[in-house]
Amino acid sequence: MLVGIPNVGKSALANSLHQIGRISAAEKGRLKHAIVSPHPGETKSISGLKIASHPSIYVLDTPGVFPAEILDAEACSNLALTGAIRDCLVGEVELAEYFLSIFNSCDEYKKWAKLSLSGADDVSELERRQKRQYLTDHTQDFVVNKVRRTLFEAVSSFDGNLQDEEIMLQLIKAEFAVLGDAFNLPPDSDDYVRKVAAKLLNLYRTGRLGHYTLDPAPCNSLESLRWLLDKGMHYFELMKKSTIVLQIPHYVTIVDLLGRSGQFDRAKMFINEMPIKPNAAIWKISSSERLALAFALLNTPTESTIHFKKNLRIYDDGHTVFKFVSKVLDHVLVETTGSAKRNCLYMQLLTI
């Protein structure tokens, strides 16, 4: 079953799998096709497409789904910009302005410097017809290059602090004014601004204006862990507010993120507040050994002894940590057991 937000290619994937499966099985007959559209919400019902024979396997294409409520305004804007939400619900002009604010804040436009050096495209109308170039088709290469050149010149020649919201809006208005000419739209045409916005969004969504990361990407490992933890907690809270019944794997993910970030106290509090009883899966995660050690140190008196029994296949970094702690704290003992031939990881924590 293919499940996800609208307009991310579920139906296109189902069609491809169906076609490949039918060809591989040398089956005859008319191929079925799920409805594919650049607009969200076109798939209205669940449809099954056969993708394999002997045994018969079907993939189910489903309508796009959304949480009942999206509280994060930025997340909602990003979804709308990528086409997961109908433009009419947000507004094409507003979405185009949002895209330009992202575009103006990154360095993508610098790749088009050579277009500015090449100058204007002085081709006669006759030559355009011979080359089958039409001014009204904004998807043709010569129009796309003109748009790129226009945006490059607008941003590179602008002098102002783009961190200031008012300054950013000034640049966006200036870009709208010159993009009309780049798209060969007469300035007195009806819905001039909306037409500029619609054409600009189309070029962005088809990748003709470069590729952009709408969520800010972390630049180092520490920032990456914090970013992953923030995102994980954000979506975990959204799931809690929805009708989704949270299971152990959901909690394991959060404990793992907290452990990787070194937030052991917070991980302990999170586990203690779980509405379901923690099981072995909570500790069988990538940072489980260090987290287990931290949990034991926080919850056992110093007069007790903590034994760690470890299989040889446990990663060396974790073993080094335990040996260091055992030298500092007399009541922590590390014992390596098991055979390297065993394929499973094993860790047992005993308090005496």
Side-chain angles (χ1 to χ4, degrees):
M1 178 179 288
L2 298 176
V3 180
I5 63 175
N7 208 24
V8 292
K10 298 186 298 296
S11 298
L13 176 60
N15 286 337
S16 297
L17 292 173
H18 175 55
Q19 183 177 13
I20 293 171
R22 292 289 298 274
I23 293 174
S24 300
E27 292 190 357
K28 297 180 180 180
R30 188 175 180 180
L31 290 172
K32 293 178 65 177
H33 289 283
I35 298 175
V36 176
S37 170
H39 306 293
E42 293 298 323
T43 302
K44 307 294 184 183
S45 59
I46 298 176
S47 59
L49 290 88
K50 191 174 183 180
I51 62 173
S53 301
H54 312 297
S56 296
I57 301 176
Y58 291 81
V59 63
L60 298 181
D61 182 36
T62 65
V65 293
F66 262 131
E69 186 177 13
I70 303 177
L71 301 178
D72 189 329
E74 183 177 0
C76 186
S77 299
N78 290 341
L79 287 169
L81 186 57
T82 56
I85 300 174
R86 289 187 179 274
D87 292 345
C88 61
L89 298 178
V90 180
E92 289 178 315
V93 175
E94 288 77 8
L95 284 176
E97 290 177 343
Y98 180 57
F99 163 68
L100 286 175
S101 69
I102 296 172
F103 173 83
N104 295 335
S105 302
C106 68
D107 295 330
E108 189 73 19
Y109 72 95
K110 293 181 179 179
K111 300 178 182 179
W112 304 331
K114 59 183 180 181
L115 295 175
S116 181
L117 296 175
S118 64
D121 186 8
D122 297 325
V123 180
S124 67
E125 184 63 26
L126 177 61
E127 290 176 309
R128 289 191 193 282
R129 290 182 180 179
Q130 291 174 342
K131 294 180 180 180
R132 295 189 176 182
Q133 294 180 347
Y134 304 100
L135 295 174
T136 56
D137 185 0
H138 68 278
T139 64
Q140 294 200 354
D141 289 343
F142 79 99
V143 177
V144 174
N145 285 334
K146 188 177 180 181
V147 171
R148 292 172 177 173
R149 181 171 62 243
T150 299
L151 287 172
F152 171 81
E153 293 174 349
V155 179
S156 59
S157 63
F158 187 80
D159 185 17
N161 179 18
L162 294 180
Q163 300 299 320
D164 187 308
E165 186 175 345
E166 292 298 324
I167 301 298
M168 175 67 80
L169 287 175
Q170 291 178 19
L171 175 56
I172 291 173
K173 289 181 180 179
E175 288 170 326
F176 261 90
V178 293
L179 281 172
D181 178 66
F183 284 124
N184 303 297
L185 292 173
D188 56 348
S189 62
D190 295 336
D191 292 338
Y192 170 83
V193 175
R194 188 196 63 78
K195 289 178 180 178
V196 170
K199 292 177 181 290
L200 186 66
L201 287 174
N202 177 261
L203 292 184
Y204 158 70
R205 288 168 177 166
T206 54
R208 306 299 297 278
L209 297 180
H211 303 281
Y212 304 85
T213 301
L214 300 182
D215 288 322
C219 57
N220 57 52
S221 58
L222 181 58
E223 288 186 5
S224 178
L225 289 173
R226 290 173 178 170
W227 181 80
L228 287 172
L229 178 58
D230 290 343
K231 285 293 181 182
M233 291 301 299
H234 169 72
Y235 290 113
F236 183 81
E237 291 299 324
L238 288 179
M239 292 170 68
K240 286 173 61 177
K241 296 176 182 178
S242 70
T243 57
I244 297 174
V245 179
L246 295 175
Q247 303 292 339
I248 282 292
H250 300 116
Y251 292 95
V252 166
T253 301
I254 300 301
V255 173
D256 182 39
L257 291 173
L258 290 169
R260 290 175 184 271
S261 302
Q263 301 188 36
F264 300 119
D265 288 341
R266 190 176 172 189
K268 175 195 170 187
M269 184 182 301
F270 180 84
I271 294 172
N272 290 338
E273 294 177 353
M274 285 174 55
I276 54 181
K277 185 178 180 180
N279 62 13
I282 290 292
W283 306 108
K284 292 180 181 179
I285 52 180
S286 60
S287 58
S288 58
E289 294 174 283
R290 297 186 189 186
L291 196 57
L293 175 58
F295 184 82
L297 293 174
L298 290 169
N299 288 274
T300 57
T302 55
E303 60 270 14
S304 64
T305 302
I306 302 174
H307 289 269
F308 275 92
K309 291 185 178 181
K310 297 163 50 57
N311 183 272
L312 289 174
R313 298 179 68 88
I314 294 291
Y315 65 96
D316 293 336
D317 184 44
H319 200 186
T320 302
V321 171
F322 292 152
K323 288 192 294 184
F324 175 78
V325 173
S326 67
K327 291 180 180 179
V328 177
L329 302 175
D330 295 333
H331 66 296
V332 177
L333 301 178
V334 178
E335 179 184 354
T336 302
T337 61
S339 170
K341 295 181 181 179
R342 295 173 60 185
N343 294 322
C344 63
L345 299 181
Y346 170 73
M347 182 187 71
Q348 182 180 10
L349 185 151
L350 298 173
T351 58
I352 300 176

